[in-house]
Amino acid sequence: MKNGEWLHDWVIKRFFGITGSFDEYKRQTVGRISTTAFLASIMFIVVATAIAGVWGIQSPYDALVGLMMANIVFSMGIIAPYVMIASQRAHLTDQEVGWQSMRQARQKIGWQALGSGSYFGISTYFLFAGIDMLTDGSDFFAVLSLPGNIWYAVFRGIFFGSCMGLIGLSRLKKQV
């Protein structure tokens, strides 16, 4: 967060992937995208809660699990892709770089992707070990020392870092 920048603006820029200044055009576009996503979410919440309430009369546990899964699928499968596509179509995520500094921008994206992949791999490594400890009752350190878990964490980190690098490179635009 830079000096003089509000926390609200920093969070919105981070969530939408906005680079550069947060001018009035970007504010209005973010407001339009957010309003549409909010209205869709409100309609979904009303309908899903009504269905879960009726379903909960017969099987409360299944209704709760169904509602949680529906929320996850709706949030990650409908709202998140809508926000990403709408932001990209509105050119909010474009990062304009002069042709002289294109190599430096690509290197910066590579280092950021490496950091993101490392962070994701390490955090999921410990998170999955904690989940195994809580659900299976296994020893935390025994789960950490399993070679399969280490390799899966490495592959998750490589995959996530590669995806983040490709997204960063797709946002890179040459300045004319």
Side-chain angles (χ1 to χ4, degrees), residues 6-176:
W6 292 93
L7 178 64
H8 176 263
D9 293 346
W10 181 80
V11 169
I12 288 178
K13 283 177 68 173
R14 194 79 177 138
F15 180 76
F16 281 91
I18 298 173
T19 56
S21 64
F22 193 49
D23 57 0
E24 193 60 33
Y25 166 75
K26 290 181 181 178
R27 280 184 196 278
Q28 289 177 354
T29 305
V30 164
R32 180 183 52 80
I33 294 169
S34 300
T35 301
T36 305
F38 176 74
L39 290 174
S41 297
I42 287 295
M43 293 303 295
F44 171 77
I45 288 171
V46 168
V47 171
T49 305
I51 291 171
V54 172
W55 188 12
I57 294 171
Q58 289 181 331
S59 174
Y61 178 77
D62 290 340
L64 177 64
V65 170
L67 182 62
M68 290 187 326
M69 294 303 294
N71 283 333
I72 291 170
V73 167
F74 183 77
S75 298
M76 297 299 166
I78 296 173
I79 294 297
Y82 165 72
V83 169
M84 288 174 22
I85 291 169
S87 298
Q88 190 172 15
R89 284 187 182 160
H91 300 288
L92 292 177
T93 60
D94 290 350
Q95 182 179 359
E96 293 184 0
V97 177
W99 63 274
Q100 297 97 345
S101 59
M102 188 62 107
R103 181 179 172 161
Q104 292 173 340
R106 285 186 180 141
Q107 286 178 345
K108 182 179 177 184
I109 289 172
W111 284 110
Q112 288 174 344
L114 180 67
S116 296
S118 301
Y119 177 75
F120 184 79
I122 291 169
S123 61
T124 58
Y125 176 63
F126 286 110
L127 179 69
F128 285 6
I131 289 171
D132 282 348
M133 180 188 71
L134 292 174
T135 58
D136 298 340
S138 55
D139 185 31
F140 182 74
F141 296 107
V143 173
L144 284 179
S145 63
L146 291 174
N149 290 347
I150 296 170
W151 283 111
Y152 288 142
V154 168
F155 289 133
R156 282 191 301 265
I158 289 171
F159 179 74
F160 185 79
S162 300
C163 289
M164 296 311 307
L166 291 174
I167 289 171
L169 289 175
S170 71
R171 290 180 175 175
L172 209 56
K173 305 286 185 217
K174 284 186 183 176
Q175 200 175 32
V176 180

